[in-house]
Amino acid sequence: METIVKENISTPSVLEQIEKLGHEQVVFCQDQNTGLKAIIAVHNTVLGPAAGGTRMWMYQNEADALRDVLRLSRGMTFKNAINGLNLGGGKAVIIGDARKEKSEAKFRAFGKFVESLGGKYITAEDVGIGTADMEYVAMETKYVAGKPEFMGGSGDPSPVTAYGVYMGIKASAKRVYGSDSLNGKKVALQGVGHVGQYLLEHLLKENCTVYISDFYEDRAKEVSQKFGVEAVDKDKIYDLDVDIYAPCALGATINEDTLSRLKCNIIAGAANNQLADEKIHGDWCRDKGILYAPDFLINGGGIINVYYEVIGNYNRERAYKHAEKIYDTLLNIFETAQRESINTHEAALKLAMQRIEAMGKLKLTR
Ligand code: NAD
């Protein structure tokens, strides 16, 4: 097993990408015995060790995987900052099919790479990864959270993520409709994996009509039958006449194509990096009269939960209370955006940056 600073793909362009987004360190990992191919990206450690989940996905090529991990880790920096956590931003991706290519050895090999960073990066679950996988990772490193409860961990972070997103949807409804009741609202929910299903439960309790889609048709069908909701084709989800679009799958689903199709008043979901281009599509939402709830704020519940595991004496109630603050922070963001004539994503970034800068200066004082 070895850590490689990639040389065979054009080095300047990789470094240029890293420089442009402001990363501190990117580690390419491969292990021939297990077939592990992974990238760990440490974006910023001003607030604390870089923390963020590991994603396992069938990337078409290495460039896509790199792009994803760079964008995701940057998002973690702002997510941790805006949610008041003493954690920096990091993320990892494992290239592969999470349904077919998992093994104990592969996750333990990955755990060794995480350990080799000496605590600069703390991992947890993301798309394609569950607590059972983290159990293997934890056999090789202590820098892992979201461990199963029997190992003293906080378990799956998804329920807290879903709760935070639900708070975000309610705050958005308050802003748009004057009431945060979701009674009777129509919601298009994209992606019914871990977070999507927990969010679905909250929405159904509030008497929403929910349409679901998933990349895997069998999963969409199963969830549709279990919860009695309508499943639609994954490409049709953008064309529904709904009040709220809740993206809970992968990123960049708010783009030129979808913005010309979406008919909703609110976009609020769990997916990371929802805006294909933060400026262009953030402005587009505003100009189209769609209220966009910045993803890195409202999907912070999971990392909040992980944070309470990392600092020790994990307390679920405290994690939920902390996630509840997303409601008020989001209402403040909406006000700032309006007052300063900027889009909501920019307003959230500004708040996150303010905290990073203030804490960065504090570190310089003795
Ligand atoms: P998951 O893997 O459990 O679920 C994701 C689901 O999205 C899967 O069922 C997948 O098949 C589906 N999907 C992928 N592409 C799709 C498409 N084009 N259309 C419809 N469905 C599609 O992952 P998760 O943990 O539920 O995470 C969902 C999103 O929320 C991700 O973007 C993740 O980064 C983000 N997020 C998750 C957490 C967490 O606590 N798990 C925390 C913060 C953010």
Side-chain angles (χ1 to χ4, degrees):
M1 191 190 297
E2 56 184 327
T3 303
I4 309 169
V5 175
K6 215 59 171 160
E7 281 171 356
N8 64 338
I9 55 175
S10 104
T11 306
S13 72
V14 172
L15 283 172
E16 271 168 20
Q17 285 183 64
I18 294 169
E19 189 186 2
K20 189 170 167 215
L21 296 177
H23 286 75
E24 292 177 14
Q25 187 177 8
V26 178
V27 181
F28 290 80
C29 320
Q30 75 85 20
D31 178 58
Q32 275 168 1
N33 289 328
T34 59
L36 173 76
K37 288 196 182 343
I39 312 175
I40 301 172
V42 173
H43 180 255
N44 186 295
T45 56
V46 169
L47 293 179
T54 297
R55 173 173 293 190
M56 187 166 184
W57 192 251
M58 306 154 277
Y59 294 101
Q60 298 288 322
N61 50 54
E62 287 175 16
D64 284 357
L66 178 65
R67 198 173 308 115
D68 207 26
V69 78
L70 293 182
R71 273 167 57 92
L72 287 166
S73 51
R74 175 177 172 271
M76 289 309 300
T77 296
F78 301 125
K79 185 185 306 193
N80 293 335
I82 203 167
N83 282 294
L85 308 177
N86 292 319
L87 292 172
K91 202 89 181 179
V93 295
I94 295 177
I95 301 171
D97 186 339
R99 284 194 162 188
K100 296 185 191 140
E101 296 176 52
K102 286 187 179 181
S103 70
E104 175 186 353
K106 187 174 274 184
F107 282 106
R108 291 183 71 160
F110 176 68
K112 278 177 179 282
F113 281 110
V114 173
E115 179 67 19
S116 74
L117 287 171
K120 198 171 193 181
Y121 168 64
I122 301 171
T123 197
E125 294 90 343
D126 191 58
V127 171
I129 302 284
T131 46
D133 308 316
M134 285 302 121
E135 197 179 325
Y136 293 136
V137 174
M139 289 174 187
E140 304 297 339
T141 182
K142 51 188 172 302
Y143 305 116
V144 51
K147 293 189 295 278
E149 286 165 49
F150 74 86
M151 290 178 86
S154 58
D156 179 8
S158 308
V160 194
T161 303
Y163 183 67
V165 172
Y166 171 56
M167 288 295 111
I169 293 177
K170 283 182 83 66
S172 304
K174 173 92 181 154
R175 177 83 186 177
V176 172
Y177 306 113
S179 158
D180 68 10
S181 166
L182 301 178
N183 187 17
K185 294 284 181 282
K186 290 189 199 150
V187 184
L189 173 56
Q190 180 185 46
V192 281
H194 288 92
V195 182
Q197 287 192 45
Y198 286 113
L199 180 61
L200 178 57
E201 286 180 25
H202 288 296
L203 297 174
L204 292 178
K205 269 192 210 138
E206 279 227 35
N207 201 22
C208 293
T209 302
V210 187
Y211 304 91
I212 61 159
S213 73
D214 200 275
F215 179 81
Y216 294 114
E217 275 177 30
D218 56 343
R219 181 170 291 173
K221 198 170 161 196
E222 193 188 308
V223 173
S224 149
Q225 282 167 356
K226 182 173 166 195
F227 292 94
V229 294
E230 189 179 332
V232 300
D233 185 277
K234 71 174 164 41
D235 299 319
K236 301 271 160 58
I237 195 88
Y238 307 109
D239 301 313
L240 301 174
D241 203 350
V242 291
D243 303 291
I244 299 160
Y245 164 54
C248 294
L250 300 183
T253 64
I254 305 171
N255 53 47
E256 254 169 61
D257 170 46
T258 59
L259 276 172
S260 60
R261 292 159 66 189
L262 285 166
K263 301 176 189 75
C264 56
N265 305 120
I266 292 169
I267 298 178
N272 281 306
N273 300 329
Q274 293 168 22
L275 299 170
D277 182 292
E278 292 172 9
K279 178 69 184 147
I280 296 173
H281 303 117
D283 282 356
W284 196 331
C285 284
R286 184 190 54 187
D287 299 345
K288 208 176 163 193
I290 297 177
L291 186 68
Y292 169 68
D295 48 11
F296 66 86
L297 167 61
I298 74 164
N299 70 10
I303 196 70
I304 289 170
N305 197 51
V306 157
Y307 179 66
Y308 283 100
E309 178 179 338
V310 170
I311 62 174
N313 295 325
Y314 173 71
N315 182 316
R316 183 166 295 266
E317 209 178 308
R318 282 187 73 192
Y320 271 92
K321 275 268 163 261
H322 193 144
E324 219 161 83
K325 292 182 189 169
I326 287 171
Y327 184 103
D328 287 334
T329 310
L330 186 57
L331 287 178
N332 284 337
I333 293 293
F334 291 150
E335 280 189 11
T336 306
Q338 186 179 27
R339 194 176 55 246
E340 300 187 12
S341 300
I342 53 179
N343 73 47
T344 54
H345 189 85
E346 287 172 311
L349 271 183
K350 202 171 163 183
L351 187 63
M353 284 301 297
Q354 277 168 2
R355 179 158 182 262
I356 295 168
E357 278 164 21
M359 296 309 131
K361 282 185 191 141
L362 198 65
K363 278 191 175 173
L364 296 175
T365 58
R366 289 184 191 278

